[in-house]
Amino acid sequence: MGCGGVGRQLLQHIISCRSLHSNLGVHLRVVGVSDSKSLVIASDVKQKELDDNILAEVCRVKSDGSPLSKLTSLGESQVFSSPESRTKVVDIASILGKSTGLALVDCTASSETIGVLKEGVDLGCCIVMANKKPLTSTLEDYDKLVSHPRRIRHESTVGAGLPVISSINRIISSGDPIHRIVGSLSGTLGYVMSEVEDGKPLSQVVKSAKSLGYTEPDPRDDLSGMDVARKALILARLLGRRIDLGSIRIESLYPEEMGPNKMSVEDFLNGGLVKLDNNIEERVKKASLNGNVLRYVCMIEGSRCDVGIEELPKNSALGRLRGSDNVLEVYSRCYSEQPLVIQGAGAGNDTTAAGVLADILDIQDLFT
């Protein structure tokens, strides 16, 4: 589900890895692909698949911004439109769920998939997600989605291809209690904070990040901290915290009067941003006097779950962070003085899709 940047990249990875997977004795049979309006499925989901030519055509059509209904080289495959497409997904799940370990893969950025995913759980399907919204919905939705832990994978919801979720799960399963997590989980904000540390104005850095493709079309989607808050909520719930997004203190890097409902993107970039320079510059200088640096992080400790700017030691893993990498520090009984540090590229369609593919392969081991 989802044919945006991550979904298309996933299909391309599946095609390009055929010989590798064959050597491992694995063949991933793609029986359906959907976008928000349509679904294309194999003519016989029990036996057949969407072949690689069709998957490549899907990528081409969606790259052009066209709907799946514009596909031409379908052969015997079928296309269904909403709302019938949703019913068809559930039908396929009921046929293949428990018998084959069908994986429902959510590469959307929508909350519209939650209902289908929950039905998939009831029908015995495996769930693989890059989409954060289902796991940051209500606790009722969350409990349903994770009710069969061995049949769900969602590594790419937090650190793209980085082994964040699996590492935390291994520590928890070993009986080693995790008491603190600190992480820079936004490539955009990691880049911004390391650049302002060098004395560059925030307004200049944000514009550079936008030109480099690090930010969303409206940089306030990144600067609001909401994406980091969703990742923090997923981690906090993984640790057993019974909280929702409203429980998290979120520091936005812009004031409410510069929000999307009050100011256009152009006005924000051309007039609003520069008004934020002095405050950040003063905070950078203050941190430097204390021998620290500023980083935009999530902090999970005890009942605390916060997202915002923190002063951190220069010589820590987070303090040494440069550019758009993600860094996570995990403190537990075994990792008390020296935390477990997970670092690397934590964003990008290629990295995220690779993480999704690894999750799909990992979950198939349950059915071999």
Side-chain angles (χ1 to χ4, degrees):
M1 296 183 288
C3 297
V6 174
R8 294 196 305 273
Q9 192 68 58
L10 173 62
L11 294 178
Q12 289 165 5
H13 279 330
I14 289 172
I15 295 169
S16 65
C17 289
R18 288 296 190 199
S19 60
L20 170 66
H21 293 165
S22 178
N23 292 336
L24 298 173
V26 173
H27 178 78
L28 293 181
R29 190 163 62 91
V30 180
V31 297
V33 177
S34 70
D35 60 15
S36 60
K37 297 182 177 65
S38 308
L39 165 73
V40 55
I41 62 171
S43 57
D44 176 4
V45 296
K46 288 183 179 180
Q47 302 292 334
K48 297 185 179 181
E49 64 184 322
L50 300 178
D51 66 34
D52 290 354
N53 290 328
I54 293 176
L55 298 183
E57 175 77 354
V58 166
C59 293
R60 186 192 64 76
V61 166
K62 294 305 297 182
S63 294
D64 293 341
S66 302
L68 289 176
S69 56
K70 296 293 184 183
L71 288 168
T72 54
S73 307
L74 282 174
E76 295 179 350
S77 302
Q78 301 169 282
V79 176
F80 298 90
S81 299
S82 297
E84 190 180 8
S85 60
R86 184 187 187 282
T87 305
K88 280 292 177 183
V89 171
V90 176
D91 288 345
I92 295 168
S94 65
I95 295 168
L96 298 178
K98 289 178 181 172
S99 62
T100 68
L102 177 74
L104 289 179
V105 184
D106 187 354
C107 291
T108 73
S110 169
S111 56
E112 298 287 313
T113 58
I114 295 173
V116 171
L117 293 173
K118 287 165 65 177
E119 289 191 71
V121 169
D122 286 336
L123 292 167
C125 295
C126 298
I127 306 297
V128 177
M129 283 180 281
N131 182 9
K132 292 179 279 292
K133 290 184 178 175
L135 291 174
T136 56
S137 182
T138 65
L139 278 167
E140 180 184 0
D141 289 338
Y142 178 83
D143 289 343
K144 168 62 76 174
L145 292 171
V146 302
S147 57
H148 299 283
R150 287 173 58 79
R151 297 208 306 257
I152 182 172
R153 299 289 186 277
H154 56 96
E155 195 69 78
S156 294
T157 58
V158 173
L162 294 176
V164 172
I165 303 298
S166 56
S167 298
I168 290 173
N169 275 331
R170 284 174 64 87
I171 294 173
I172 293 170
S173 299
S174 73
D176 182 13
I178 294 173
H179 57 82
R180 185 170 189 249
I181 292 177
V182 189
S184 176
L185 297 174
S186 164
T188 304
L189 293 175
Y191 171 83
V192 167
M193 299 313 297
S194 62
E195 290 292 296
V196 296
E197 179 190 335
D198 292 339
K200 298 174 185 174
L202 177 69
S203 55
Q204 177 188 324
V205 171
V206 171
K207 289 176 183 176
S208 296
K210 188 174 188 299
S211 68
L212 290 167
Y214 288 168
T215 74
E216 296 294 329
D218 184 344
R220 288 171 295 188
D221 291 345
D222 300 289
L223 300 177
S224 69
M226 183 54 70
D227 186 62
V228 178
R230 289 189 185 279
K231 294 177 180 181
L233 179 57
I234 290 170
L235 294 178
R237 286 178 168 180
L238 204 60
L239 299 185
R241 311 288 194 272
R242 304 291 290 173
I243 62 174
D244 56 27
L245 273 174
S247 309
I248 300 176
R249 183 190 68 82
I250 306 170
E251 178 184 2
S252 171
L253 295 191
Y254 62 86
E256 190 176 340
E257 57 267 25
M258 292 186 191
N261 296 330
K262 306 281 182 68
M263 187 179 285
S264 68
V265 179
E266 292 73 21
D267 287 345
F268 176 71
L269 290 171
N270 297 327
L273 253 180
V274 71
K275 296 176 182 176
L276 308 177
D277 287 346
N278 288 341
N279 176 261
I280 293 294
E281 183 182 356
E282 289 172 9
R283 292 175 73 172
V284 168
K285 288 178 179 176
K286 181 183 175 185
S288 182
L289 289 173
N290 296 331
N292 296 327
V293 293
L294 297 183
R295 294 291 180 261
Y296 194 97
V297 299
C298 73
M299 182 83 70
I300 304 166
E301 186 171 22
S303 60
R304 177 187 179 190
C305 186
D306 297 342
V307 167
I309 295 176
E310 296 278 347
E311 278 193 32
L312 296 168
K314 277 185 180 179
N315 62 351
S316 66
L318 282 158
R320 294 191 299 270
L321 174 66
R322 304 297 300 175
S324 59
D325 273 6
N326 282 5
V327 177
L328 195 78
E329 297 178 349
V330 181
Y331 295 82
S332 67
R333 186 187 67 238
C334 295
Y335 299 97
S336 54
E337 297 301 319
Q338 293 294 328
L340 172 68
V341 177
I342 303 166
Q343 179 171 357
N349 295 336
D350 190 7
T351 310
T352 303
V356 174
L357 180 56
D359 274 352
I360 295 170
L361 290 166
D362 181 51
I363 216 163
Q364 293 306 309
D365 288 344
L366 297 173
F367 298 89
T368 56

